Amino acid sequence: MAISQEISYRLERLILDGGLAPEHKIPSERQLAASLRVSRSVIREALHELQGRGVIETRHGKGSFVSTMVPGSGDLREQGPLMRLFEGHPRTLYDLLEVREQLEGQAACLAAQRATSQDRHRITKAFRDLEDTDPLSNARPDHGFHQAIVEASHNPILVHVLNSLKNMMLMTVQASVANLNPRAEMRKKIVLQHRQLYEAIISGRPTSAQKIAMAHVRFVSKSMRDMEQEGSTLIRIPVEHEALSSHHHANR
Amino acid sequence: MAISQEISYRLERLILDGGLAPEHKIPSERQLAASLRVSRSVIREALHELQGRGVIETRHGKGSFVSTMVPGSGDLREQGPLMRLFEGHPRTLYDLLEVREQLEGQAACLAAQRATSQDRHRITKAFRDLEDTDPLSNARPDHGFHQAIVEASHNPILVHVLNSLKNMMLMTVQASVANLNPRAEMRKKIVLQHRQLYEAIISGRPTSAQKIAMAHVRFVSKSMRDMEQEGSTLIRIPVEHEALSSHHHANR
DNA sequence: AGAGACAACTGGTCCTACCAGTTTTTAAAT
DNA sequence: ATTTAAAAACTGGTAGGACCAGTTGTCTCT
């Protein structure tokens, strides 16, 4: 195995086991190179590896510091490398919504076709909850409403895929409802869309339901795009740690 | 921000957009350094960063490769028990195809809109392979053709989801081509559909491409349904399918 | 005391040379 | 002509020097 890797592991152990405090400064590259008797190149490569793992962060002219995150729980690693890969790429959010538009549409279409009376009952209940709830905290009812529709499609695969996508969205950004609802006129439109969607499904109009559902997702996506463009930054939940967002610990 | 970071970010983006297959080889360090007009050092540092994040892995004397875990095995499969649940239920296959119909349609639509000249070239190449190959063993070219289209959609999420669905299909049944091709008249229809799809995408007709792709999947699904009904059992192959899963280069 | 130049850190980039695996090509031996 | 072994042409890994670019403290000059 490469020396740079061994060193990166040794340093990681030293940091984790040794319980090095966040913001603790690591010896300079030249010092490490000298004391470990290797070239500065391998030190730099090892440090970049640790940087990629989020163990340390490096600031030009100052040095390398232990990240504020960390200990034991390798947290992010559990979620699979896929999440880390997408993290920090805002475009991913819209890619997600692009796919969801299609699938939510299909779910609505199928639901309008295949919903049993029991399904209709559950959807109706979810819809009532959606209308009754305080708009400020209606992320859950919203989720429940869509969930009920998807389940009425009677396609387990579709349920599963949409669920995965929703989880990915929650990891990327606290989205849609939380950000969009503050805007009164937007909320009205969304409420209207929900009502139309509900009626289309209950009265069994598949193509209509599909179009409405797709338009709904599209509307949400566009609204977020607009908000982002006009400066009002989306509330990004940096999955567990804002260690990497570089500009937080500016000057000391 | 450091150049090495920018490059690591750009490479990551490239991997996402390209929907790069696992084990796909990345240009050599010297090549990258030359084409990006930076020193080899920064390339090495960028690569080490990606390595730390688990995006790529590097092998001495061979090169750097996209990590196998990244695009291929998404969150859809890692939910072990779920697969057992679906396994053996033939209806699952049609649920899968139902979802695929939608997504392949979207992929074709987006590909017709967003394909770069490079994408078009790759699709054309895949299409030629598809036509030239012996129909008996053209599972691979078929896969390659659709894969090229999906990648041209430039939506990493879509690439990932469809890839997962395809893997699930392979686990359930070695489907479509292997079973359908024996029928001469079916093969002709499928070849025709492929040609139409190809032309629609290349000449940039999104809605047309979408319809054709959806009809194609639907046709495959219906054909399988028919065959199953008339007694000719589908060839079910329990897992062990290293055969079709796109790229699998054993170590030598 | 305050201002500004300077020196001594820090990491960031570039370069060249060379070592070490891997693959391909070449040339010799059969 | 085929087989086989050496050699060349790749690949990444390490070394170390030179220099650029931020940061910080020091020391002089006013």
Side-chain angles (χ1 to χ4, degrees):
Chain A
M1 182 177 259
I3 297 182
S4 68
Q5 310 235 331
E6 302 208 6
I7 290 185
S8 86
Y9 283 134
R10 278 174 61 183
L11 286 180
E12 191 176 11
R13 279 193 97 84
L14 224 93
I15 291 172
L16 263 45
D17 295 350
L20 247 48
E23 294 300 303
H24 183 285
K25 190 180 172 189
I26 288 178
S28 78
E29 296 177 352
R30 289 173 174 86
Q31 255 174 283
L32 282 172
S35 74
L36 295 182
R37 263 170 282 267
V38 293
S39 83
R40 196 181 150 208
S41 310
V42 315
I43 296 292
R44 285 186 59 76
E45 284 156 14
L47 291 184
H48 273 87
E49 238 167 90
L50 293 181
Q51 203 176 338
R53 284 186 225 164
V55 178
I56 67 171
E57 43 189 278
T58 295
R59 293 193 276 274
H60 190 168
K62 293 190 169 180
S64 291
F65 305 82
V66 177
S67 274
T68 55
M69 56 149 264
V70 330
S73 69
D75 40 59
L76 278 180
R77 275 129 201 75
E78 262 80 56
Q79 306 294 340
L82 197 68
M83 295 303 147
R84 273 196 312 298
L85 189 60
F86 290 148
E87 186 187 356
H89 295 280
R91 204 177 84 87
T92 300
L93 177 60
Y94 301 107
D95 288 339
L96 269 165
L97 284 167
E98 203 169 62
V99 177
R100 271 193 66 186
E101 176 186 338
Q102 209 71 18
L103 293 182
E104 294 276 3
Q106 186 180 27
C109 176
L110 292 178
Q113 290 177 292
R114 320 217 257 234
T116 67
S117 61
Q118 191 178 346
D119 291 329
R120 285 196 177 81
H121 192 270
R122 279 167 55 195
I123 294 176
T124 301
K125 186 176 177 304
F127 181 64
R128 299 236 185 286
D129 286 351
L130 185 58
E131 284 194 317
D132 295 348
T133 318
D134 173 29
L136 288 175
S137 65
N138 70 359
R140 223 169 303 273
D142 182 272
H143 179 274
F145 178 57
H146 288 289
Q147 181 85 7
I149 293 175
V150 176
E151 283 171 5
S153 75
H154 291 277
N155 183 331
I157 303 289
L158 186 55
V159 173
H160 176 239
V161 171
L162 268 173
N163 221 36
S164 293
L165 291 183
K166 197 159 298 186
N167 285 338
M168 285 184 73
M169 273 197 64
L170 289 177
M171 283 181 185
T172 310
V173 59
Q174 182 163 32
S176 67
V177 193
N179 288 289
L180 260 33
N181 265 352
R183 316 270 187 146
E185 74 285 7
M186 276 187 189
R187 226 181 54 223
K188 272 199 170 163
K189 281 185 185 173
I190 287 185
V191 168
L192 176 63
Q193 288 168 355
H194 279 158
R195 157 143 254 126
Q196 288 176 326
L197 176 58
Y198 168 72
E199 284 168 356
I201 289 176
I202 293 298
S203 53
R205 301 195 307 271
T207 56
S208 174
Q210 180 171 21
K211 279 179 188 166
I212 295 170
M214 290 179 72
H216 175 57
V217 176
R218 185 155 215 76
F219 174 78
V220 171
S221 175
K222 189 178 180 311
S223 301
M224 293 177 74
R225 224 181 273 264
D226 290 345
M227 288 178 76
E228 205 162 24
Q229 214 157 19
E230 74 187 38
S232 151
T233 318
L234 286 179
I235 306 170
R236 288 222 141 69
I237 299 187
V239 187
E240 285 289 84
H241 66 308
E242 40 262 33
L244 294 182
S245 40
S246 52
H247 302 97
H248 277 81
H249 321 92
N251 302 333
R252 283 279 134 115
Chain B
M1 182 177 259
I3 296 182
S4 68
Q5 310 242 333
E6 305 230 7
I7 289 186
S8 87
Y9 184 90
R10 278 175 62 184
L11 285 179
E12 195 176 350
R13 188 76 242 173
L14 236 127
I15 290 174
L16 286 175
D17 278 350
L20 247 37
E23 296 300 299
H24 182 287
K25 190 181 173 193
I26 287 177
S28 78
E29 296 177 352
R30 290 172 175 89
Q31 255 174 283
L32 283 173
S35 73
L36 296 182
R37 264 171 282 266
V38 293
S39 84
R40 198 182 147 206
S41 310
V42 314
I43 295 292
R44 284 186 60 76
E45 284 157 14
L47 290 184
H48 273 87
E49 218 167 298
L50 292 180
Q51 203 176 338
R53 296 159 91 160
V55 177
I56 66 171
E57 39 189 271
T58 295
R59 292 193 276 274
H60 189 169
K62 292 189 168 181
S64 292
F65 305 82
V66 176
S67 237
T68 55
M69 334 172 251
V70 176
S73 72
D75 47 325
L76 292 187
R77 279 202 313 179
E78 66 196 23
Q79 329 216 348
L82 201 65
M83 291 308 304
R84 320 279 184 280
L85 206 156
F86 291 150
E87 200 175 345
H89 292 70
R91 208 179 85 82
T92 300
L93 178 59
Y94 300 108
D95 287 338
L96 270 165
L97 284 167
E98 203 169 59
V99 178
R100 271 192 65 184
E101 177 186 338
Q102 209 70 17
L103 294 184
E104 294 275 4
Q106 186 180 26
C109 177
L110 292 178
Q113 291 176 292
R114 320 215 256 233
T116 66
S117 61
Q118 191 179 348
D119 292 328
R120 286 197 178 82
H121 194 271
R122 279 168 58 193
I123 293 176
T124 300
K125 186 176 177 304
F127 182 64
R128 298 236 184 286
D129 288 351
L130 185 57
E131 283 193 318
D132 295 348
T133 318
D134 174 28
L136 288 175
S137 64
N138 73 355
R140 219 176 308 267
D142 182 271
H143 178 274
F145 179 56
H146 288 288
Q147 181 84 5
I149 293 175
V150 176
E151 284 171 7
S153 77
H154 289 274
N155 183 329
I157 303 290
L158 186 55
V159 173
H160 170 244
V161 171
L162 267 173
N163 220 33
S164 294
L165 291 182
K166 197 160 298 187
N167 284 337
M168 284 182 75
M169 276 195 63
L170 289 176
M171 283 184 179
T172 311
V173 58
Q174 184 162 28
S176 68
V177 193
N179 289 289
L180 259 33
N181 264 353
R183 316 271 188 144
E185 73 286 4
M186 276 186 189
R187 227 182 53 221
K188 272 201 172 162
K189 282 186 185 172
I190 288 185
V191 168
L192 176 63
Q193 289 169 353
H194 279 159
R195 158 144 255 126
Q196 288 177 325
L197 176 58
Y198 169 71
E199 285 168 357
I201 290 177
I202 292 298
S203 53
R205 300 196 308 271
T207 57
S208 175
Q210 180 171 24
K211 279 179 186 165
I212 295 171
M214 290 178 73
H216 175 57
V217 176
R218 186 154 214 78
F219 174 78
V220 171
S221 176
K222 189 177 181 311
S223 301
M224 293 177 73
R225 224 181 274 265
D226 291 347
M227 288 178 76
E228 205 162 26
Q229 215 158 20
E230 74 187 40
S232 151
T233 319
L234 287 178
I235 307 170
R236 292 218 139 70
I237 299 182
V239 197
E240 186 64 49
H241 64 283
E242 224 60 89
L244 285 185
S245 78
S246 51
H247 306 71
H248 175 263
H249 299 138
N251 289 344
R252 284 155 191 140

